[in-house]
Amino acid sequence: CHRLSVDLQSPSCLWCRVIQDPGIDTETAELYSKLQAQMNLFYNDLTKDRSRLSPTSFEEEEVYVVYWEESKSWCRAVVKSITVDSVTFLACCFLVDYGERIVVSSDKIRLIVPDFLQLPFWAQKFHLSGIKPTTLRVPFLEEKAELIPSNQWDISATVYLHSLLKASVLVEAVLLESESDSTAIELYLSTGDFKICVNDELVSKKFAYYSEESGRGGLDAWGRIPIKFCSVLTQIDSESLNKLEAVKLPPIFLEWLNPGPVNPDREDSDEVAPRCDPCLSGVLVHSFLPVEGCCSLEDAPINDSLRRVLLKKRYCSLSAADCYSWPAVAQGNSTVIISHSSDQPLSFLAPLLSHVLQNSLYTARMSSSGPMVLLLCPGWERVQMVFSMLEETRVSESLRPATALLGVGKDEAKNFKLPKNCRMLVTTPFTAVRLLSCHCRLFQRLYHLVLDEADQLFDRAPDQMTTILQHFHKVTSGEEKALFPQQLVCVAKRWSPHMEAMVAAYMPYPSIVITIPEEAGLYGNVQQVRQFCGHFFISIQALLGVLDFSPLNCQKTLIIANSAQDVEYIYEVIHSKSAFCLKTHEDLTHQFASVAQQWSKVTGPGSHLILVTTDECLKCLGITDATCVIHYEFPMAPKGFGRRLFCMFKNFRNLSQQTQSSSCAARSVLLISEKNSRHIIGVMRYLRRTDALLPPELLAFERGVLKARDEQKTSRPLCSYLKSFGVCRDSSVCPDRHTFSPQLDRSALPAAGIIEVLPLFIKSASVFGGRLIRKEDREFDEMVSGMASYYSDKKPEARELQEGGLYAVQEDDTFHRVKILSLPENGKSQFFCVYVRFIDVGREKEVKSYQMLKLPESFHSLPEQAVEITVCGVKPADAETDWHPKVIRTISQKIRGLQHRARAVLSVGNTVFVDPMVRVTQVPGMKTLINEYNVQSEILKTGMGIRNPDHLDLLKALCQKEKACSHTGEVPPSG
C-alpha cells in the first residue's frame, strides 16, 4: 500500500507525492526533505554570485528553481507560460514536487544545478480508477432532476473530495495500472478509527458511478442509482489485497533505488573559481602588490609548452590556490602558498618555471656559474619526485636541472661536481648546507629559492634553514643585484611559526595565499580559548560565562551549534538576558538576507551582537568580520572548524602589511566536554600549534582518550618504525600499535647471547628476513632436500587455492614453502595473482596462480623458519624517515645469503634485535676466525646513516613497562 501526499485538482487529476512504498527501501520523504534543505541553503547563500545563477532567457517546459512565497522555499518547477509587458516579467510555473501552479516574477527564478536533478520529480499525476463523474440535470420544462453521466467533474465533487482529504490523517493508495499521463489508483483515507475507500465514497454520494471497465456495474437505467457501493471500510477487502499483490511500480520509481548524492558544495573540493572577494570562497589572499586571479588554464600565466604538459597530465582545472598564487609567482613576487594541492609539484613549478624562462634579465648573468634556482625538499623521496616532474616538463635544455643528495662523509661535499650549465638544483637543506660550506661560490647567482613542503623543512632542519635563508638574503641584497629579481617561494600544507619569522625577515613585499581555513586561522593569530566542562553535556552556564554583555568595544560573536533545536534553545536563553541576539538555521533560510543586513549595521562602540546558527547556514551568510566564535558543539567535519574561524577573516593579522601589528582581535572559544572525545586528539594537536595554555584537566582527558585508542589497537602489529628506530615517525596517524602486548609480543627467540643468523630477504638497511642457524637443527636441511627430490620428478599444480593454505613456489632452482595471505575477489580467470608469504624466508610478494604447486602433508609439519632480524643502533641521516635506496642496495649486496654472527639483545614476537652483527670468516687452512665487516659500520660508511644510541634503551623501557619480554636467558654461542 502506498502512502501519499495529495494536491487535488479533480478526481481525475490528483497530483500526489508517494512518501512510503513497499517497493522502495529508502525513505523517500527524508531524501526529498534533504533535497529541499540543500536547495534552500544553496539559493539563499549570500556568498554565491547571483548573476551566475539567474537565467538570461527563459524557455517553456524547461526546469528551473523558483521561490515559492507560500512555503518560503526554493522549489523545482517547469515554466509553463511566460508573460512579458513593459513593467514586469511573469512566469506561470508548475511545481514538480508539489503539483501546484504558481505565478512568479523573473527575479525569483534561478538556473537549476545538475546535482538537484538527481531525484525524480516527486509529484505524479493519478486518477481514481473505475469511476466516472455524474452531474445533476434539471430540465426547465419538467419538474424533476436526475443524475446523468458527465464528461467532467462537478465542482461539488472536487470540494467534497477536498474535505475528505483535509479530515484524513493518513492517505493510502493501491496502484492499479499506469497510463500515458497518469496512474489509476484506489484511494483510501484513514479518519480516526475507520478507513474509507474514496472511489466507493464518491459513488455512494452520487458524485460518480462505476464504469463498465471496473467490472462493478454502471448506472441503473430506471432510477440512476448506483448498483454497488461500499461507503465505510474497516480494512482493505480481499479484492483490494489481490490487487495490491499485482501492483507494478511506474518506471520512474526505479530511480529512487539508487539516487545520486545531493551535494553542490563538496567538502573535499578545492576547485573554486576566482571572484572579486576571495575570502567569500574561504581563500585568504594577503598581498603587498595587487594580484589579479586567473580563472582557467587557458588564461593562466604560464608558457605554452608547460600548458601542454599540464593538459597531458590531465591537470585541466585550477585549484583555488592555483587561481591566486600562479599570478603572484609568475610576476616574480615572493609568495607563501598553504594548500592541500601543495603536494603536487606542478602546482608551484608551472608559474615559477614560466617566470624563470621568460625573464630576459638573466641573459647578462649567464656567464657566471652556479644555479639560479635552488629548490629544497625535506627528503630524498621528494627530491626524486620533483626531479622526475622537472624532466617531464621538458625544461632540461634551458635550465639543465640536477639533484644533489650527499651523505655525512667527510669529503663527500668537497668532491661533489655540479653538472655544467646547471641552473636549477634540487636538494635537501642538509646537502645544501654541506655544499655551501665547501662550494659557496657556486651559489652567487642564486635568485630563486623554493621551499617545498616548507613546514617539514623547518621541523626537520631548523638550523640548516636559517643558514640557507641568510645566504640567500646576502647574495640577493647587494646593490649590484638591484636590477635582478629576488624571489622566495614557500609551499606547504601547514602554517608554522618559522614561516612568520621568514616572512618578516626575508620577504619585503610578500604575497600570501592560504586555501585551508584552519591554517588561515593559525596564520591570522586567532586567540584560542578552551573551556573544559568535564561532564557530558555542556551547561548553558559555561556558555554564558564566556560572553561579555557589556564590552568596551564593538563585539560580534558567533555561537555555532549542530542542530536547529540547539539554536532555538541557546537563542531563548541569551535573548532573555536582554542581549541583542539573532538566530538562523535550516528552517529559517529565507531570513538570511535580513540577518546579514542586521549584522552589518551593528558597528558602534560598546555594542555586542550575538548570532546563533549552524555550520550549514554559516557557509551561506558570508560573514567575515566576527570578533569571536564560540564552538558550542564541534563541527561534523574538520573543514567546518576552519570555516568557523574564517568568519573572523577581517580581524586576522596581515603579514603583508609591514606597518600592521602582529596582534589579532579574533578569539575562538572551544567548549569541550566528554562527548567530544572523538575530536580531542585533533583539537589538542591544533592547540599545541598555537600559544594557548593547556589546562591539566584537558591534558588528563587527552591521555585517557589516547589510552582508549591504544586499547583498540591491541590486535594490530607493533609499529615497524618503533621497532626499527625506537620511535614512530608520527604516532598520531600511525594505525599500528605502540605498546607491547604480553600476548602478541611474547617471544621464543633468544633475547641475549651469541647467535648465528642468515639474512635471506632485505626489508631495509637495518631489518632483514632470514633464519637462525643452529648446529643441532637438521630438520630444515632435510626438508629442503626432500622438496628438491619430490619436485624433480613431478610438479603438481595447485588447482584449488585457499587463503591460509600452504603451497610451494619455485624460484630459480629452489623450492619454497609459501602461505597464501589473500586471494583476489574475482579469481575465476585462468591467470591471476595471489599474495603470499615465504614462511622460511620472511618475504611477502605476489605470485602468479599457475606458479603455485601442491605441497605434500609431509612438508607441513616443520614450523615456519623465518624470523625478523633488526640491527640496533643506526638510523637514517638528515632526519629521514626511510633508508635511501643506495644504503639498502649496498647492504643487500654485501650480506644477503651469507651467515653472520650476532649478539641478541632483545626479542619481541618474531623479531630478534641484535647489536652487533658481523660477518665471521675462517682463515683458509687455519682455525683462526676473523671479523670481515660489521653491518652497522657498513651502514655508517655509506654516509646515509648515523648512530642511534637510544634505540635499545627506548625499546627496553617499553618492554619493561608492559612486562612483555619474557625470554632473557643466555644462549651459548654456536659455531
Side-chain angles (χ1 to χ4, degrees):
C1 195
H2 304 256
R3 298 187 178 185
L4 307 177
S5 175
V6 182
D7 285 305
L8 172 66
Q9 292 185 15
S10 75
S12 291
C13 184
L14 290 84
W15 286 98
C16 306
R17 292 178 293 167
V18 180
I19 59 177
Q20 184 175 332
D21 188 282
I24 302 172
D25 296 331
T26 53
E27 291 289 342
T28 57
E30 182 179 344
L31 289 173
Y32 281 92
S33 177
K34 182 179 179 181
L35 172 67
Q36 184 66 72
Q38 291 285 348
M39 287 197 298
N40 284 337
L41 287 168
F42 184 81
Y43 289 102
N44 284 318
D45 191 341
L46 302 180
T47 68
K48 293 284 188 299
D49 187 352
R50 178 177 169 181
S51 62
R52 299 179 64 187
L53 293 174
S54 298
T56 56
S57 61
F58 298 90
E59 298 289 339
E60 294 184 0
E61 300 302 325
E62 289 293 325
V63 181
Y64 298 90
V65 175
V66 302
Y67 187 72
W68 189 14
E69 190 67 39
E70 180 180 336
S71 65
K72 300 189 182 302
S73 300
W74 290 92
C75 308
R76 301 188 296 180
V78 172
V79 172
K80 291 297 184 180
S81 62
I82 301 170
T83 303
V84 182
D85 57 32
S86 59
V87 179
T88 184
F89 180 109
L90 298 177
C92 178
C93 302
F94 178 74
L95 304 182
V96 295
D97 296 318
Y98 295 90
E100 295 276 351
R101 290 181 182 268
I102 63 172
V103 176
V104 296
S105 57
S106 59
D107 63 329
K108 298 295 179 65
I109 304 178
R110 300 288 184 269
L111 295 171
I112 190 165
V113 176
D115 284 321
F116 295 141
L117 291 173
Q118 296 289 336
L119 293 179
F121 301 152
W122 200 359
Q124 299 177 63
K125 188 177 180 181
F126 297 89
H127 68 270
L128 298 182
S129 67
I131 61 173
K132 292 186 176 180
T134 63
T135 187
L136 188 63
R137 185 175 69 175
V138 183
F140 288 103
L141 301 179
E142 301 178 16
E143 294 183 357
K144 65 176 182 178
E146 61 177 348
L147 289 172
I148 62 172
S150 176
N151 292 326
Q152 61 184 15
W153 292 92
D154 278 355
I155 294 295
S156 58
T158 303
V159 171
Y160 180 68
L161 179 53
H162 181 77
S163 64
L164 290 177
L165 290 170
K166 189 174 181 180
S168 64
V169 295
L170 179 63
V171 182
E172 297 175 295
V174 176
L175 302 184
L176 299 179
E177 69 274 350
S178 179
E179 298 177 1
S180 59
D181 63 339
S182 66
T183 301
I185 59 172
E186 280 191 356
L187 192 62
Y188 294 88
L189 305 179
S190 296
T191 56
D193 298 330
F194 58 87
K195 181 181 291 185
I196 65 173
C197 175
V198 172
N199 306 53
D200 294 341
E201 184 68 15
L202 291 178
V203 174
S204 69
K205 292 297 189 289
K206 300 183 180 181
F207 292 116
Y209 68 97
Y210 293 117
S211 63
E212 294 181 359
E213 293 81 6
S214 69
R216 304 180 68 175
L219 283 180
D220 184 286
W222 298 98
R224 305 295 188 189
I225 302 298
I227 294 176
K228 178 181 179 182
F229 68 91
C230 178
S231 59
V232 179
L233 300 176
T234 57
Q235 60 183 5
I236 302 177
D237 58 21
S238 59
E239 182 180 350
S240 297
L241 288 175
N242 293 334
K243 293 178 182 178
L244 178 59
E245 294 175 359
V247 165
K248 292 186 178 180
L249 297 178
I252 194 170
F253 280 93
L254 298 178
E255 298 181 36
W256 274 327
L257 299 178
N258 189 23
V262 181
N263 189 5
D265 186 21
R266 293 177 175 84
E267 287 286 334
D268 58 351
S269 174
D270 192 35
E271 297 181 2
V272 181
R275 57 200 308 166
C276 56
D277 190 356
C279 72
L280 294 179
S281 301
V283 179
L284 181 146
V285 180
H286 283 170
S287 181
F288 183 86
L289 301 173
V291 174
E292 184 177 350
C294 55
C295 298
S296 63
L297 195 61
E298 287 71 23
D299 67 346
I302 59 176
N303 62 34
D304 293 336
S305 62
L306 284 170
R307 187 176 286 108
R308 286 193 292 269
V309 171
L310 291 172
L311 289 173
K312 185 177 179 181
K313 297 184 70 65
R314 297 188 178 182
Y315 199 103
C316 301
S317 58
L318 302 185
S319 68
D322 298 338
C323 293
Y324 297 102
S325 65
W326 282 18
V329 175
Q331 291 173 16
N333 297 358
S334 291
T335 309
V336 178
I337 308 167
I338 308 295
S339 169
H340 285 303
S341 61
S342 63
D343 56 352
Q344 303 180 30
L346 282 176
S347 66
F348 60 87
L349 284 177
L352 175 73
L353 295 175
S354 297
H355 173 62
V356 173
L357 294 173
Q358 294 173 3
N359 200 320
S360 60
L361 293 176
Y362 294 133
T363 56
R365 305 289 298 179
M366 289 302 177
S367 58
S368 61
S369 61
M372 296 183 303
V373 183
L374 178 62
L375 199 160
L376 298 179
C377 300
W380 62 266
E381 288 182 286
R382 185 69 176 180
V383 167
Q384 293 181 350
M385 176 187 176
V386 171
F387 183 71
S388 298
M389 195 69 68
L390 284 170
E391 290 185 323
E392 292 179 15
T393 59
R394 301 177 183 176
V395 297
S396 302
E397 296 181 1
S398 303
L399 297 180
R400 300 184 184 276
T403 63
L405 290 170
L406 305 181
V408 295
K410 182 178 180 181
D411 296 328
E412 228 178 313
K414 186 181 297 183
N415 298 330
F416 175 79
K417 298 294 183 182
L418 188 71
K420 188 177 180 180
N421 295 328
C422 172
R423 298 171 188 170
M424 185 173 188
L425 184 64
V426 185
T427 185
T428 65
F430 298 94
T431 294
V433 169
R434 292 178 191 128
L435 290 175
L436 280 173
S437 64
C438 300
H439 306 283
C440 186
R441 290 187 177 182
L442 282 179
F443 298 93
Q444 292 303 307
R445 70 167 181 176
L446 189 63
Y447 299 111
H448 303 273
L449 177 61
V450 184
L451 310 182
D452 181 27
E453 297 187 333
D455 54 325
Q456 296 185 42
L457 292 175
F458 285 113
D459 287 344
R460 295 185 185 185
D463 297 336
Q464 288 78 8
M465 290 302 300
T466 299
T467 301
I468 295 169
L469 287 169
Q470 289 175 349
H471 175 81
F472 176 71
H473 180 69
K474 179 180 179 181
V475 300
T476 56
S477 59
E479 293 183 2
E480 70 278 6
K481 307 293 178 64
L483 295 178
F484 297 94
Q486 167 195 340
Q487 187 177 31
L488 174 56
V489 178
C490 174
V491 185
K493 284 188 177 181
R494 303 197 314 168
W495 173 264
S496 73
H498 295 96
M499 297 179 194
E500 178 184 346
M502 176 192 66
V503 171
Y506 304 108
M507 288 187 170
Y509 308 108
S511 296
I512 301 169
V513 179
I514 304 179
T515 62
I516 307 176
E518 55 268 33
E519 298 301 319
L522 287 170
Y523 159 83
N525 200 25
V526 175
Q527 179 189 3
Q528 297 290 342
V529 181
R530 67 278 159 273
Q531 181 78 26
F532 186 68
C533 301
H535 45 79
F536 191 82
F537 293 102
I538 299 174
S539 65
I540 201 67
Q541 286 76 17
L543 172 62
L544 296 175
V546 299
L547 289 173
D548 183 3
F549 293 102
S550 302
L552 296 177
N553 301 317
C554 177
Q555 296 287 321
K556 290 186 174 183
T557 299
L558 289 169
I559 302 176
I560 318 296
N562 284 348
S563 67
Q565 293 80 3
D566 285 338
V567 169
E568 293 287 352
Y569 172 63
I570 297 170
Y571 173 79
E572 292 299 329
V573 173
I574 296 178
H575 191 66
S576 65
K577 298 291 183 180
S578 300
F580 188 8
C581 186
L582 303 172
K583 67 176 179 180
T584 186
H585 48 71
E586 286 77 357
D587 296 332
L588 302 174
T589 55
H590 58 282
Q591 297 181 0
F592 281 175
S594 175
V595 168
Q597 185 180 22
Q598 294 181 69
W599 177 273
S600 62
K601 287 182 178 179
V602 178
T603 56
S607 58
H608 190 179
L609 174 60
I610 301 173
L611 172 60
V612 189
T613 186
T614 63
D615 282 298
E616 289 299 318
C617 294
L618 192 64
K619 292 189 296 184
C620 305
L621 293 172
I623 293 175
T624 59
D625 62 342
T627 59
C628 179
V629 171
I630 299 178
H631 310 269
Y632 183 78
E633 291 175 307
F634 279 33
M636 296 297 183
K639 191 174 182 179
F641 182 74
R643 186 182 292 112
R644 294 177 179 186
L645 299 183
F646 212 83
C647 292
M648 301 181 285
F649 167 77
K650 290 187 177 178
N651 291 306
F652 286 1
R653 67 173 175 186
N654 187 342
L655 295 183
S656 69
Q657 304 295 330
Q658 298 179 350
T659 59
Q660 189 187 54
S661 171
S662 61
S663 61
C664 173
R667 188 168 66 114
S668 169
V669 181
L670 297 96
L671 302 180
I672 304 174
S673 71
E674 293 175 357
K675 73 174 182 178
N676 302 128
S677 58
R678 69 187 183 97
H679 300 102
I680 193 64
I681 304 301
V683 169
M684 294 297 287
R685 189 186 307 123
Y686 188 83
L687 289 178
R688 285 190 173 94
R689 297 173 60 198
T690 69
D691 295 330
L693 296 176
L694 303 178
E697 60 271 17
L698 190 58
L699 294 171
F701 183 36
E702 180 194 25
R703 287 193 295 270
V705 173
L706 286 173
K707 184 177 180 181
R709 284 196 175 185
D710 286 339
E711 291 174 353
Q712 295 175 352
K713 297 180 180 180
T714 53
S715 60
R716 295 287 304 171
L718 191 63
C719 173
S720 60
Y721 285 91
L722 186 69
K723 292 193 295 183
S724 299
F725 310 122
V727 293
C728 178
R729 58 178 177 177
D730 191 351
S731 59
S732 62
V733 297
C734 179
D736 292 331
R737 182 166 45 89
H738 297 90
T739 57
F740 283 94
S741 167
Q743 292 78 27
L744 298 179
D745 297 327
R746 183 177 289 111
S747 178
L749 300 176
I754 304 301
I755 58 176
E756 299 288 333
V757 297
L758 179 63
L760 299 170
F761 168 59
I762 310 304
K763 297 182 179 179
S764 73
S766 60
V767 181
F768 326 119
R771 292 188 291 111
L772 300 185
I773 306 298
R774 301 180 179 89
K775 274 191 173 182
E776 63 277 7
D777 188 3
R778 303 293 183 188
E779 295 182 22
F780 179 77
D781 295 333
E782 293 174 357
M783 184 193 71
V784 171
S785 61
M787 289 177 64
S789 175
Y790 175 80
Y791 290 112
S792 64
D793 297 332
K794 54 183 178 179
K795 297 178 182 177
E797 184 178 342
R799 299 290 182 183
E800 296 183 1
L801 302 180
Q802 295 181 350
E803 192 170 311
L806 289 180
Y807 302 88
V809 169
Q810 181 181 4
E811 283 190 343
D812 297 328
D813 296 329
T814 306
F815 294 88
H816 300 274
R817 296 188 301 169
V818 299
K819 176 186 286 186
I820 294 182
L821 299 180
S822 64
L823 290 167
E825 293 183 2
N826 185 10
K828 296 181 180 180
S829 60
Q830 186 176 1
F831 304 110
F832 57 93
C833 293
V834 294
Y835 195 65
V836 302
R837 181 172 70 243
F838 290 69
I839 63 175
D840 301 317
V841 176
R843 174 164 47 113
E844 296 179 358
K845 63 175 290 188
E846 281 189 344
V847 298
K848 302 294 185 181
S849 59
Y850 61 80
Q851 295 178 281
M852 305 292 288
L853 304 175
K854 288 184 179 179
L855 185 68
E857 289 291 335
S858 58
F859 301 132
H860 288 205
S861 58
L862 188 67
E864 299 182 10
Q865 297 295 297
V867 299
E868 186 178 77
I869 306 159
T870 299
V871 176
C872 295
V874 287
K875 64 180 180 180
D878 297 344
E880 296 279 3
T881 57
D882 294 292
W883 291 104
H884 192 278
K886 170 187 172 182
V887 190
I888 300 176
R889 183 170 55 253
T890 300
I891 298 301
S892 178
Q893 292 173 349
K894 203 166 193 70
I895 74 171
R896 186 172 180 267
L898 300 178
Q899 186 171 327
H900 291 70
R901 182 167 296 179
R903 177 183 291 111
V905 292
L906 183 69
S907 63
V908 176
N910 197 42
T911 302
V912 58
F913 296 85
V914 298
D915 186 15
M917 175 176 167
V918 297
R919 169 65 173 166
V920 179
T921 58
Q922 187 173 2
V923 178
M926 302 177 62
K927 293 185 178 180
T928 304
L929 300 177
I930 61 172
N931 293 341
E932 186 175 336
Y933 58 80
N934 181 303
V935 175
Q936 286 99 323
S937 298
E938 294 300 312
I939 293 174
L940 297 177
K941 283 181 183 178
T942 64
M944 299 292 185
I946 59 175
R947 296 196 178 276
N948 184 11
D950 299 328
H951 183 189
L952 185 60
D953 293 338
L954 291 170
L955 291 173
K956 285 186 174 181
L958 283 175
C959 182
Q960 293 171 359
K961 180 180 179 181
E962 301 295 335
K963 299 180 180 180
C965 190
S966 59
H967 198 298
T968 57
E970 290 287 331
V971 177
S974 59

